[in-house]
Amino acid sequence: MKLVIINYGAGNIKSIQFAFKRLGIDAVLSNNPEEILAADKIIFPGVGEASSAMTMLKESGLDKLIPNLKQPVLGICLGMQLLCESTEEGHTKGLGIFRTKVKRFSNDVKVPQMGWNVIKDLKSNLFFGIKENEYMYLVHSYYAEHCDETIAKTDYGINYASALQHNNFYGVQFHPEKSSLAGVKILQNFLEL
Amino acid sequence: MLTKRIIPCLDIKNGRTVKGVNFVDLRDAGDPVELAKQYADIGADELVFLDISATLEGRATTLDMVLHVAEQVNIPFTVGGGISSIGDVDALLKCGADKVSINSSAVKRPELVNELSDKFGSQCVVVAIDAKQVDGEWKVHLAGGSISTDIDLFEWAKEVETRGAGEILFTSMNHDGTKNGFANEALAKLSEALNIPIIASGGAGNVQHFIDTFKEGKSDAALAASVFHFGEIPIPDLKKELKANNIEVRL
């Protein structure tokens, strides 16, 4: 199993690498197109601001490479949001894999949402063995609206898509690498897809 | 629904836990990694490490500790203490810390909050505020509470929110160490004035104090040290009690 974590300068990828190491997988951090294309599975991480993350992707040409990947790809947090059509954060155009838009939470709730919330209406092999209303750790100010590709839902002022899937592309808003044993199970499921 | 968070705080010096820790089943109570793992296993929602090392060597050891915590612990954690530059934060995040907490350095140079949130995102910038109520007014204190200032707690909290802080960790010096409960009045006022999460700190002594700070203090999270380290309040029991009192927690 060759697992690549796309390293384009956005966010804390050490935690993701460590989470896979605990599962016995040595993930490679890379922004090298050949290395990414040769991987069996790919993690597309991202923490931080959307428009600067997209700029970094463009600078390394990864904005062209990622949408054409054929292997299972898992976008985490901002990684998931960048796979959507667009995000209100920095008025950023996304990679357009998931046919939905990312919006900012309204000020009726505290922003960012920070902490543990539940995921429900689970609909993918990614959630094999995960029970409804399982807790996941989330930190985000923007959320993806529901679409046909929603595979998990969460409530925070509004009901939104906390996970999405389109063909080989998966995206989760929460941080499985920080979500205790249930998070580990989701990463394991991804490895077994 | 987003749950209320329970956060044990560990004081770290030269890569070791310093405050008395008396945990059963620990081979080495001074080892922060082992303690962190244990806390993650019993249902702590997050951890805070406060580095009180006075020397550069001590800080380097802490960085190494952060790496080991990230390697072995699968819940989020914050590191605070002595952080005053983008470089400090970059090093901690690269070692796997999820958030950093800044305190005195933000008061000395408030632009630091903007710089950190612009560079790393506000989700990882916690501003810790130590304050003391004197003659009815809450004043910010620095350097672990030893230096008083004329800065008003609520104005300062609002300012750091505007500058991009993602969360406030408020410690009441009037309550810290008393075990008489959290500063719920001030906490509720903060929570109403701000639109970012507030962590209550200082005063935890029994389960009722946690119930009160979530209900009356409107806190989003509660932090404590000794009541957890000495097993006075086991976290699983605490969370069950909170749940029984209709407070949403992760069980």
Side-chain angles (χ1 to χ4, degrees), chain B residues 10-232:
Chain B
L10 301 167
D11 283 359
I12 303 296
K13 192 174 185 182
N14 305 329
R16 305 273 298 166
T17 47
V18 284
K19 232 182 221 170
V21 172
N22 185 10
F23 231 71
V24 282
D25 301 334
L26 277 187
R27 277 171 291 138
D28 177 3
D31 178 7
V33 180
E34 204 184 332
L35 195 53
K37 273 169 73 177
Q38 176 115 349
Y39 273 128
D41 288 347
I42 61 169
D45 296 305
E46 254 180 72
L47 298 166
V48 168
F49 295 93
L50 188 62
D51 184 9
I52 56 169
S53 305
T55 62
L56 281 176
E57 292 81 3
R59 295 203 171 282
T61 321
T62 299
L63 222 47
D64 195 47
M65 176 215 85
V66 169
L67 195 65
H68 289 298
V69 172
E71 210 172 354
Q72 300 195 36
V73 176
N74 54 18
I75 60 169
F77 68 96
T78 303
V79 182
I83 297 166
S84 58
S85 70
I86 286 184
D88 293 341
V89 174
D90 194 44
L92 286 164
L93 296 181
K94 280 199 176 125
C95 285
D98 297 282
K99 303 187 248 183
V100 296
S101 141
I102 53 171
N103 191 333
S104 302
S105 57
V107 176
K108 283 178 201 145
R109 209 172 64 79
E111 299 76 25
L112 180 63
V113 182
N114 304 66
E115 291 165 12
L116 295 179
S117 68
D118 287 348
K119 177 138 178 77
F120 304 106
S122 59
Q123 81 289 333
C124 70
V125 183
V126 182
V127 175
I129 307 178
D130 298 333
K132 192 174 185 177
Q133 193 177 29
V134 184
D135 300 328
E137 302 209 10
W138 284 96
K139 296 293 183 192
V140 174
H141 282 59
L142 304 180
S146 57
I147 302 169
S148 63
T149 75
D150 253 344
I151 302 166
D152 176 76
L153 160 67
F154 304 99
E155 285 173 19
W156 174 237
K158 192 73 204 167
E159 179 177 341
V160 297
E161 177 187 40
T162 311
R163 287 181 180 277
E167 194 166 40
I168 302 280
L169 166 54
F170 164 52
T171 303
S172 161
M173 295 169 57
N174 304 71
H175 297 72
D176 201 21
T178 65
K179 297 200 173 182
N180 282 330
F182 294 92
N184 293 325
E185 209 177 311
L187 282 160
K189 202 173 153 185
L190 277 176
S191 209
E192 277 156 20
L194 273 60
N195 204 44
I196 53 176
I198 311 290
I199 306 171
S201 161
N206 59 41
V207 170
Q208 188 63 40
H209 294 152
F210 287 88
I211 296 171
D212 293 343
T213 202
F214 291 133
K215 287 196 167 169
E216 294 160 28
K218 300 185 162 64
S219 307
D220 298 288
L223 176 143
S226 60
V227 289
F228 295 145
H229 301 332
F230 290 102
E232 292 165 31

Side-chain angles (χ1 to χ4, degrees), chain A residues 21-22 47 110-111 116 178, chain B residues 3 71 98 123 191 220:
Chain A
K21 200 174 161 193
R22 291 193 289 270
V47 172
K110 288 193 175 185
V111 183
W116 299 78
K178 286 286 165 181
Chain B
T3 61
E71 210 172 354
D98 297 282
Q123 81 289 333
S191 209
D220 298 288

Side-chain angles (χ1 to χ4, degrees), chain A:
Chain A
M1 160 77 62
K2 191 175 176 219
L3 179 72
V4 167
I5 301 173
I6 300 181
N7 182 12
Y8 60 106
N12 173 0
I13 50 179
K14 205 82 192 167
S15 299
I16 300 175
Q17 197 180 20
F18 282 144
F20 281 109
K21 200 174 161 193
R22 291 193 289 270
L23 285 169
I25 301 282
D26 277 320
V28 179
L29 307 181
S30 175
N31 64 353
N32 178 309
E34 281 171 28
E35 202 159 20
I36 294 170
L37 287 169
D40 300 310
K41 299 269 164 67
I42 295 157
I43 302 288
F44 179 37
V47 172
E49 201 272 330
S51 64
S52 19
M54 192 52 86
T55 305
M56 289 188 273
L57 281 180
K58 283 181 180 160
E59 279 167 1
S60 47
L62 293 171
D63 62 320
K64 300 277 190 297
L65 178 98
I66 293 170
N68 293 311
L69 291 169
K70 303 289 176 245
Q71 314 89 320
V73 177
L74 177 64
I76 298 178
C77 196
L78 181 63
M80 181 206 87
Q81 296 188 354
L82 294 177
L83 290 171
C84 297
E85 286 171 355
S86 65
T87 162
E88 286 185 355
E89 188 175 25
H91 306 286
T92 309
K93 192 171 175 300
L95 298 176
I97 302 289
F98 302 129
R99 276 158 280 180
T100 187
K101 294 182 166 59
V102 176
K103 300 194 162 173
R104 194 177 194 279
F105 283 121
S106 83
N107 281 336
D108 301 339
V109 288
K110 288 193 175 185
V111 183
Q113 166 170 231
M114 193 176 294
W116 299 78
N117 201 336
V118 299
I119 54 170
K120 52 191 178 182
D121 297 338
L122 308 176
K123 263 198 258 177
S124 161
N125 287 344
L126 193 61
F127 300 121
F128 179 77
I130 301 289
K131 64 181 199 300
E132 284 287 319
N133 294 306
E134 182 57 85
Y135 292 100
M136 291 289 146
Y137 184 76
L138 300 130
V139 186
H140 60 126
S141 302
Y142 296 80
Y143 68 92
E145 290 187 310
H146 283 309
C147 62
D148 291 346
E149 294 153 344
T150 300
I151 53 167
K153 298 177 181 173
T154 295
D155 285 310
Y156 189 61
I158 191 165
N159 186 264
Y160 67 93
S162 45
L164 295 157
Q165 183 195 345
H166 176 80
N167 299 333
N168 56 320
F169 288 90
Y170 298 77
V172 291
Q173 181 61 64
F174 47 84
H175 287 273
E177 77 280 13
K178 286 286 165 181
S179 293
S180 197
L181 297 176
V184 175
K185 176 68 180 154
I186 290 174
L187 294 179
Q188 202 165 16
N189 287 344
F190 177 70
L191 292 176
E192 285 165 13
L193 283 173

